[in-house]
Amino acid sequence: MTGIQHKDIQNKDIPNKDSLRTKADEGAWKSTACMLCSIGCSIEVQVEGQTLKKIRGDKASGSSEGYICQKAARLDHYQNHTERLTKPLRKNAEGRFDEVEWDEVIPEIAQKLRAIRDQHGGHAFAYYGGGGQGNHLGGTYSSSLNAALGTPYVYSALAQEKTGDFWINGKLFGRQNCYAAEGMEHADYTIVLGANPWAAHGVPKTRDVLKDYKKNPNRTMVVIDPRLSETAKMADIHLAVKPGRDAFLLSAIIAIILQEGLENTDFIAKHTTGFEQVRQQFLNIPLERYAELSGVGPDQIKEVAIGFAQANTATVQADLGIQQSLHSTLNSYLEKLLFLITGNFNKKGGNHLVSQFAPIIGHSKEPEEGGVVTRVTGMKGISKLFPPNVLPQEISTDHPDRIRALIVDSANPVMSGADTRAYKQAFEDLEVSVVIDVALTETARAADYVLPASSQFEKTECAFFTFGFPTSYFHLRKPVVRPQGDTLPEAEIYRRLVVALGEIPDEFPKLERIAKLDRKFQFGRLFPAALAATLKVNPEWMPYLPVILYATLGKALPQDLSSAATLWGVCQFYAGRFSDQVAATGVEGKGYTLGNNLFNKILASDKPVPLATFDYQDTWKMMKTKDKKVHLYISEMDDALDQLKQEAQELAEESNNEAYPFILMAGERRSYNANQIFRTPDWRKTDKDGGMRIHPKDLVLLGLDDGQQAICRSETGKVEVSLMSDDSVQRGMVTLPHGYGMLYTDASGELKQNGPAINELTSMNHCDPIAKTPYHKHVNVAIESV
């Protein structure tokens, strides 16, 4: 195994300049937040040394009001585990890591990157990550490094999950960064589609909302899921769709609404275009055939179609179950047609557009419009991101324009990308690979250099998932424990790299002095004027504005908050666009003063700060089509619906694959799995090994027993699994959770793997044709005894 074990790394507990809270009262409760899902519930922690001794929900938080789930209560296992990095590492000729000093490793990396840039140009680089789950502030500085390298190629896990959905948003609403949130907490009728929020959360105070649906006779919840999940057990109706057949079921629901004349004609006439073209597609759908293929009875489908269409308010909550399954981009289109044709859009209790405080994603032009494509596979960007599915192909080739160097920040593509073997080979084929992370991940072990970042509890951090409505909140989390070892915040790592590449000076003494003066006399606007003058004289520095802000304004901010410098600009843009809504939260001022006061409010608070309060009519202003209407007709989806009809004619009711007779739904959400920031298994109270759910009758057919070890094999690879007899899954399907298969060092110092690494089984070529989203929820596998 390449790499060093944790015992080779010294823990010196050296504080860095961005986090110096070393004398805080250890008995006091400190405010911070969970970062395990997009909701980011506020929590309070009691610290004992480096340990998060006690964790509770923060009742004083206006956003989550004390809500907490069982996963958040285990966050000390993120902060303290055997794979924490505490020193920069460089791989030697024997494939092991040597510790190295920052002053040595940064110039060495920069020299190698500069040589590749000078010889091959910016297209020879790729960047993966840019702020992991809830670690977005550090990611704001990554754009400066990408600008220095000259690369547009940003890959991320988000592009492996959501870009088909984003592409549809762009066609419907005008730009790919228009995001339509669900209104589940206010709706009378909810369809939960390809999601299990009881285990995955993703809705504010999720379990409280689900319990209300269960006990309230005036509300209806429908769950569409091949498995009788925890959420499905609470539902009024469970539509047990066959794996990969969601598009047939959704098409049938829409067809019934249109054929029965249940669409909202007033809404459609006022707010949409292209309806008649869409309507024609669904008038001649063979409903009986689609119902048969979906595995759901026609009467149930009709009940849901009528119930959703006639509800006073209705919403759809969709997630990866449809976004990483067969027809994934088409699924996202059909999901949105449901709430659009019924008029459940931009209204309370429906799906509605929400503002973004900071641009997590952007908008990419289509290739024919001049949009950027990759050099090897010709893949287009969506939302300024490129899909991880094509990255190994962009590297492992003799193409002259291949990717030669890769920077990975707060991501683990060797584990999370489809086809682990292809990713491992890609890292061997790179000329330079650098990983910035908190832990010695599988990707870090494959890299040439590993740069250790401070953890999310050791530095100033935030998440930009500000989707609350009508009031959206933003939480700037302050450090609650001392940094471990010789680590740095990402902002400082990126600044040093950009300086070493020769793009900006190491210091800006005049701007530093003016920034400090400006913070004392903010009415004078000294710093913005000086910054504008500096950039006018040095326009080549403009791409490096984030790290320049960090190096100047950051030094003028209160202790621990230098990494928050980029939020100054974010606040100005946000307040400029949503001035009335920001003022509605009590922030005073106009123009620059309003943005500056919002910035100051965020800096001063340990709790989530209300950013803006919206009215539902405000959401129409977020539309980006020129006519401010939803463009229902999408030519590519029209073709996809034609292909679905053809597939319905050709597809057998039960499509048998003799070599791989089971359908694996990979990446199931469970009570004790999470994203891969939890490295070691000791945080789990149940399901220690990530068992494979399989129907008891299938176990009998295979001659295997509950709890027995078995081999799960696909065309790509094989993993060992622990069988879990479970009649919540359909016959012929099996499930495995994500978040397992990671390497860790046990108490004896031995390197071990916990549970199945599911991407040993997945293929980069088994994916959506438009977005290249992998079909993780529909993997053909065989199961056999060990």
Side-chain angles (χ1 to χ4, degrees), residues 115-126:
I116 293 173
R117 182 187 64 185
D118 293 346
Q119 184 175 356
H120 301 286
H123 63 263
F125 298 93

Side-chain angles (χ1 to χ4, degrees), residues 745-785:
T745 308
D746 69 7
S748 67
E750 183 180 353
L751 193 64
K752 292 186 175 180
Q753 179 177 319
N754 172 233
I758 56 176
N759 281 307
E760 298 280 357
L761 301 171
T762 58
S763 168
M764 71 179 91
N765 297 315
H766 187 48
C767 63
D768 183 81
I770 292 177
K772 302 300 180 185
T773 307
Y775 292 148
H776 281 344
K777 309 303 179 185
H778 199 276
V779 182
N780 292 102
V781 297
I783 300 163
E784 55 202 32
S785 59

Side-chain angles (χ1 to χ4, degrees), residues 109-180:
I109 292 171
Q111 182 182 12
K112 292 184 177 182
L113 296 179
R114 192 186 305 111
I116 293 173
R117 182 187 64 185
D118 293 346
Q119 184 175 356
H120 301 286
H123 63 263
F125 298 93
Y127 179 89
Y128 195 113
Q133 181 75 36
N135 191 40
H136 297 163
L137 188 58
T140 63
Y141 295 95
S142 63
S143 63
S144 295
L145 177 60
N146 292 334
L149 298 176
T151 181
Y153 299 125
V154 177
Y155 294 79
S156 79
L158 198 60
Q160 181 164 275
E161 300 171 345
K162 301 285 186 179
T163 40
D165 188 73
F166 297 157
W167 185 84
I168 291 294
N169 288 341
K171 295 293 184 179
L172 292 172
F173 311 129
R175 286 182 71 85
Q176 293 157 3
N177 53 2
C178 290
Y179 179 74

